[in-house]
Amino acid sequence: MNVDLHCHSTASDGALAPALVVARAHEQGVRMLALTDHDTLDGLAEARNAAERLDMRLISGIELSCTWGGATIHVLGYGFDESAPALLSSIAQLRDGRWLRAEEISRRLALKGMPGALEGARAIQQALGDSGNAPARPHFADFLVRAGYVKDRAEAFRKWLGSGKLGDVKQHWPTLEQAVGTLRTAGAWVSLAHPWQYDFTRGKRRKLIGDYIAAGGHAIEVVNGLQPAEQVGGLAILAREFGLLASAGSDFHAPGSWSELGVYRPLPEDLPPLWCRFDHAQPHAAV
Ligand code: MN
Ligand code: MN
Ligand code: MN
């Protein structure tokens, strides 16, 4: 695919520095790329420089965490004003929250006889690329492996870091309404990330999409990497029914993992792609 609107660099939890993500995307044939690191704009300047050298189009992007109905939801923003005060202050709050969360994970692991986790996870994170963000759970997982507490990442998540385990520290995310509002204030085009990944019933997913539209959302991510074709079909039905634009992307994090830059299932042809609107002014928020 020559468009990829969802990927991560070392500015959040990806394994490659922003310039390397851009170069790899270019090798994969991508000509329009949005770097969508979690809750940060830190990778965008480096990515933009790299994209200019390759004559590629880089769209400013971000994947914001928020809550809705007791679950953590991800919302993607594109083409926004990177100096918008509302966006910058929201990101600063999220960054502080992530540091508090990392400290809490480390404290809990120390109480279980695994000291030094924050420093260890931070060293692993910094070896991948400089970041002002707190280390995330994958970095803690790698620390636990290297320190010999678990045999691999999967065991680290199963025993200590996964959902409901000691390392699953809840953070005070903004609400879905606030996150979409912040992005809209910054002039972003907004897409609801991977709506099938949340463990919701069919009715709850529809309610989520209704609330998301009421908050000002423009699109849903109909295709996320190589997610099963029937999920793409289910999301396409929702996009049609709710009259939403469609976005698509690989959600690339690291080479050799489940996703690759520019690789995802095709978007059903009748759906209006979000990226065709990037050059146009936004409509008013749907109500
Ligand atoms: Mn991630
Ligand atoms: Mn996500
Ligand atoms: Mn993502």
Side-chain angles (χ1 to χ4, degrees):
M1 308 287 175
N2 60 7
V3 175
D4 193 335
L5 297 185
H6 192 159
C7 63
H8 299 271
S9 76
T10 48
S12 64
D13 60 350
L16 300 180
L20 294 177
V21 172
V22 170
R24 191 179 179 97
H26 189 266
E27 275 170 32
Q28 291 285 328
V30 175
R31 294 298 175 264
M32 182 194 281
L33 179 73
L35 179 65
T36 52
D37 274 308
H38 297 283
D39 306 321
T40 182
L41 307 178
D42 286 353
L44 294 180
E46 181 184 321
R48 181 161 296 111
N49 285 336
E52 271 169 23
R53 285 196 297 275
L54 293 166
D55 203 21
M56 253 170 97
R57 182 157 180 204
L58 187 96
I59 307 292
S60 55
I62 191 165
E63 183 170 15
L64 282 181
S65 303
C66 57
T67 54
W68 178 86
T72 302
I73 300 289
H74 288 169
V75 175
L76 297 157
Y78 300 105
F80 42 80
D81 170 8
E82 290 171 40
S83 61
L87 182 59
L88 295 178
S89 79
S90 173
I91 288 168
Q93 280 175 36
L94 288 162
R95 186 189 51 223
D96 292 349
R98 282 184 183 273
W99 274 106
L100 290 172
R101 183 176 74 155
E103 284 163 13
E104 178 62 16
I105 292 172
S106 186
R107 196 185 64 80
R108 293 183 184 184
L109 288 170
L111 288 174
K112 294 286 180 185
M114 294 171 276
L118 182 58
E119 295 73 19
R122 179 72 176 153
I124 285 163
Q125 177 196 25
Q126 287 297 96
L128 293 168
D130 185 45
S131 171
N133 279 321
R137 283 184 290 170
H139 305 120
F140 280 101
D142 288 352
F143 161 76
L144 292 176
V145 174
R146 286 194 204 177
Y149 296 122
V150 293
K151 68 175 193 308
D152 56 25
R153 251 194 199 201
E155 188 184 342
F157 273 87
R158 199 168 60 244
K159 274 189 162 168
W160 303 113
L161 300 168
S163 181
K165 301 296 174 184
L166 147 172
D168 181 22
V169 177
K170 293 289 175 248
Q171 193 170 329
H172 285 285
W173 307 112
T175 64
L176 174 72
E177 195 181 358
Q178 288 168 335
V180 174
T182 298
L183 289 169
R184 290 293 307 256
T185 302
W189 288 97
V190 183
S191 186
L192 182 65
H194 42 64
W196 213 273
Q197 253 177 49
Y198 314 115
D199 190 16
F200 289 168
T201 60
R202 189 166 166 274
K204 191 168 180 185
R205 187 173 300 115
R206 294 174 64 81
K207 172 102 170 59
L208 166 66
I209 290 174
D211 285 359
Y212 164 74
I213 292 170
H218 299 113
I220 59 173
E221 191 178 53
V222 173
V223 186
N224 180 272
L226 294 175
Q227 70 179 146
E230 57 270 26
Q231 294 183 9
V232 173
L235 292 170
I237 289 168
L238 288 170
R240 285 181 201 113
E241 183 187 335
F242 287 91
L244 287 158
L245 296 164
S247 77
S250 63
D251 210 353
F252 172 82
H253 281 72
S257 63
W258 71 282
S259 64
E260 180 53 79
L261 286 156
V263 178
Y264 51 84
R265 290 188 192 281
L267 191 64
E269 279 180 8
D270 64 302
L271 295 179
L274 173 65
W275 58 91
C276 292
R277 306 295 177 95
F278 285 164
D279 293 323
H280 301 106
Q282 287 173 24
H284 293 293
V287 177

